Structures are given as C-alpha cells and as structure tokens.
Amino acid sequence: MAGSASILERVAARQWKLPSLPDAPALAQESIRAAKTVYAGAHETPLQPADWLSEACGAFVLLKLENKQATGSFKVRGATHKVLSMSREQLDRGLVTSSSGNHAAAVLHACRSAFLRAGGPEMRPRIFLPQTVSKGKMDSLEQQGADLQLHGTDCIQAETAARAAAEEGGLEYISPYNDLQVAGGQGTIALELMAALPREQLDTVLVPVGGGGLISGIAACLKSADPSIKIIGCQPSASNIMAQSIVAGHVVDAASHDTLSDGTAGGVEPDSITYAACQEYVDEWVSVDEPEIAEAMLQTRHNTHMQIEGAAGVAVASCLKIGKRLQGQHVVIIICGGNVTDTTYSKAEELLAAHHLPAA
C-alpha cells in the first residue's frame, strides 16, 4: 500500500504542476486532502497495458485496475475519505447511504476502517438500494451483516428515500456521488496516474459515468494539472442521463432502461455538484449500446483473464468505438470495478448470440 506522502511526492517528482491548495478548484483541493486519508481503507491500484486495445486503436492503452481495489471497486476511495473526515459526534449519530451495490460495500468497509483507526463502537450504516440491484451484490452485502432496505427501481429513487430517512432520523447521509469529499476521494485515482506516468505519457482518459463522482474527481485533478488532457465520459445508451443533461443545459429527468452497466444506471440529483464539474471538465461524451458493452466485457475477459463489471465494459467499449480518433495517443481506461457474477457474463454471451455476434 502506498503512503499518502509518497503519492504526492511522486507526482512532484514526475514534474506535474499541481496548483497550491488555495488556488486549486475545490474538487482538486479535496483530492489532495484525500491523499492523507484514503489509504487507511484503499490502496494504490496497478496500470496494465492492454495490447489488444492498443492494436485496435493504434494507440498505447493502459487499464487502471480499480477492480483490484479493496471491495473490488473505486468506490472505497470516496467512502473512506468521507467517513474518516467525519467527527466522532457525526459517526455516533449514525450513517445512511444509498447504492446499487458498490458504494454500499465501500461504506461498510470505510466504517470498519474508522473503527480500527479510532476505536469506539463499530458502525452499521443503514443502506438503501434500488430493487433492481444484482443478486450477487445484495448477497454479498447481506453476508457482511448490512442493514438493507430496497426502495424504487433506480438509484435516484433509492437516494431520495435515503436522504429522507437521514433527515427524519437526524442521521448523516453519505451520497454515492453528490458530495465534495466522496468525489474528491475518487480523484486520488488521478494523483496515482500522475505519480505513475510522466506528462508526455497521458493524453486521454476514458471514465465510466453514472452520477458523475468518479469522473468529477479525476477530471478536476487532471485538468488542474494540465488542461490539455482530454477527459471522455462513457455511458450506456440505455442510461446516459448525465450526457443528456449536459446537452440540455440542466439535469434532466429521463428514463433509465435495463443495462449490463447497472453500476452507472439511474438518474442524477438536480443539485448535484457533479453536474457542474462534468460541464466544466469533461471534453466529450460517448454512449455505447448493450451489444458493444457485452463484447467489451467478453474481450477483456479473454485478453486479461479478468471479469469486469458492465460499467467498466462501457469504458472499454467506448475506446473501441472511437478508437481511430485515439491513434498515436497515450490512453488510460478506468476499469472501475470487478464485482460481477457469472450470470451477468452469461447474459452478455446471450445478448451477443441474439445479435448474431461472436463471443470472444
């Protein structure tokens, strides 16, 4: 596990120009602060070359393997920073959160980290999930003793119910994305990219997007260091509400349909800080359909022997979709998580068969 100081020292050693705290955007400032907390519950994840994608795109493509993260997802970064930034009084009041699965597991993990760090009674957060959450994720949370409540059919409905429960009970609500400390924690991925790569080896970053916490933190950090780095937001066509919102100029209330990318499905809260960050920092939006996601998941498994979530498949599929425009560039794809069941991969294979496409 990398120490917090070593990340920032390595960023400086690579001669990246991080702005000083008073001058940096709020999200970038929060990511720098988060470098002092996230590694109590998270760890630095590897970069792995993706030769098959490099060949397909004529670029040099690396995968940032957040599927190798504690809890199997990037979400543990933001959750750890949020929980460890709270006072003992806030923690004692109790915590409520909402999630499609990964953020819930991350909050549970962060609460255990806080308990081990500070002592006192171990916290058991109350977790709201949409009724569409995958069985695998729900089973995993139940095995960890989570206090689960199912509400609604998508993330935004679960979030609304969770916020109401927190307000009614005087509890602390931890948003999966609409929170400065959560999004700032996710931005430590950008710091790790800068610590690992010299400036001339980072041109474009493709990031899966649901509520926007991951891309907001990463983009704010990277754009603060070098505005010429291109940030591409990747969404499933079945649930690309953030991209629709950016086009509309306001957060839209649009339908979200079934998708292999359940981790990015659902709406965006109207006042979300991530909407403004996406407006300011994201250069391009790419939407991919379900066969493209399925093919990307299966190709990744075939070429890396790793199973990745549909949300990560969205970013891989987006790279393949726009590949020729990336020619000659140094590209990083954020593999946001690996908490996926064999059943989901069977669905991906069936989907490709239904479209008369060969599975990898």
Side-chain angles (χ1 to χ4, degrees), residues 277-349:
C278 285
Q279 272 190 318
E280 184 170 359
Y281 299 123
V282 179
D283 298 291
E284 182 179 348
W285 295 89
V286 178
S287 295
V288 289
D289 61 26
E290 295 304 297
E292 289 172 315
I293 299 168
E295 184 176 11
M297 293 173 67
L298 292 164
Q299 280 195 21
T300 302
R301 183 176 67 177
H302 175 75
N303 286 283
T304 67
H305 308 291
M306 296 184 301
Q307 293 199 155
I308 63 170
E309 293 180 9
V314 166
V316 174
S318 296
C319 182
L320 288 166
K321 186 168 187 173
I322 66 170
K324 293 307 178 184
R325 289 198 278 117
L326 301 173
Q327 190 166 5
Q329 296 186 30
H330 290 83
V331 178
V332 172
I333 301 174
I334 307 300
I335 302 299
C336 56
N339 293 323
V340 61
T341 64
D342 290 339
T343 300
T344 301
Y345 265 84
S346 295
K347 288 180 181 177
E349 290 169 345

Side-chain angles (χ1 to χ4, degrees), residues 33-318:
R33 293 190 191 99
K36 300 176 182 178
T37 60
V38 296
Y39 300 107
H43 58 255
E44 187 173 356
T45 54
L47 279 167
Q48 177 173 305
D51 294 341
W52 90 100
L53 290 171
S54 297
E55 184 177 350
C57 302
F60 183 68
V61 181
L62 294 171
L63 307 179
K64 178 63 169 168
L65 298 182
E66 287 296 293
N67 56 316
K68 301 293 186 182
Q69 185 56 266
T71 74
S73 163
F74 76 93
K75 291 284 190 178
V76 73
R77 295 174 182 269
T80 299
H81 182 49
K82 180 66 178 180
V83 170
L84 294 185
S85 298
M86 287 180 169
S87 68
R88 185 76 243 181
E89 181 183 357
Q90 288 176 302
L91 295 173
D92 287 344
R93 281 202 292 267
L95 305 178
V96 177
T97 192
S98 56
S99 173
S100 62
N102 281 335
H103 176 69
V107 171
L108 286 169
H109 183 86
C111 286
R112 287 193 293 271
S113 297
F115 168 74
L116 292 171
R117 191 181 205 188
E122 188 166 0
M123 292 153 286
R124 189 167 176 257
R126 189 176 172 191
I127 298 168
F128 284 72
L129 301 97
Q131 295 170 357
T132 53
V133 68
S134 72
K135 185 178 185 301
K137 288 179 180 177
M138 189 166 176
D139 288 347
S140 175
L141 292 171
E142 286 180 335
Q143 288 168 11
Q144 297 175 60
D147 177 8
L148 302 181
Q149 293 198 14
L150 299 180
H151 190 94
T153 57
D154 69 9
C155 293
I156 196 70
Q157 293 172 348
E159 289 165 23
T160 300
R163 281 193 183 276
E167 184 174 349
E168 182 180 346
L171 310 174
E172 297 291 331
Y173 176 66
I174 302 179
S175 171
Y177 61 91
N178 186 15
D179 183 282
L180 180 65
Q181 290 167 321
V182 169
Q186 322 305 18
T188 56
I189 292 173
L191 296 176
E192 289 178 16
L193 294 180
M194 289 186 279
L197 299 169
R199 171 61 194 92
E200 63 272 14
Q201 292 181 18
L202 186 58
D203 300 311
T204 298
V205 182
L206 290 96
V207 188
V209 179
L214 176 62
I215 199 169
S216 294
I218 290 174
C221 238
L222 289 178
K223 289 289 191 179
S224 295
D226 190 334
S228 70
I229 296 172
K230 189 170 186 178
I231 307 295
I232 299 179
C234 309
Q235 294 199 287
S237 300
S239 186
N240 59 351
I241 294 171
M242 182 64 85
Q244 291 183 51
S245 299
I246 297 301
V247 171
H250 59 88
V251 175
V252 300
D253 182 12
S256 179
H257 303 288
D258 288 342
T259 173
L260 290 166
S261 180
D262 62 322
T264 64
V268 181
E269 289 184 324
D271 63 345
S272 179
I273 63 169
T274 60
Y275 172 73
C278 285
Q279 272 190 318
E280 184 170 359
Y281 299 123
V282 179
D283 298 291
E284 182 179 348
W285 295 89
V286 178
S287 295
V288 289
D289 61 26
E290 295 304 297
E292 289 172 315
I293 299 168
E295 184 176 11
M297 293 173 67
L298 292 164
Q299 280 195 21
T300 302
R301 183 176 67 177
H302 175 75
N303 286 283
T304 67
H305 308 291
M306 296 184 301
Q307 293 199 155
I308 63 170
E309 293 180 9
V314 166
V316 174
S318 296

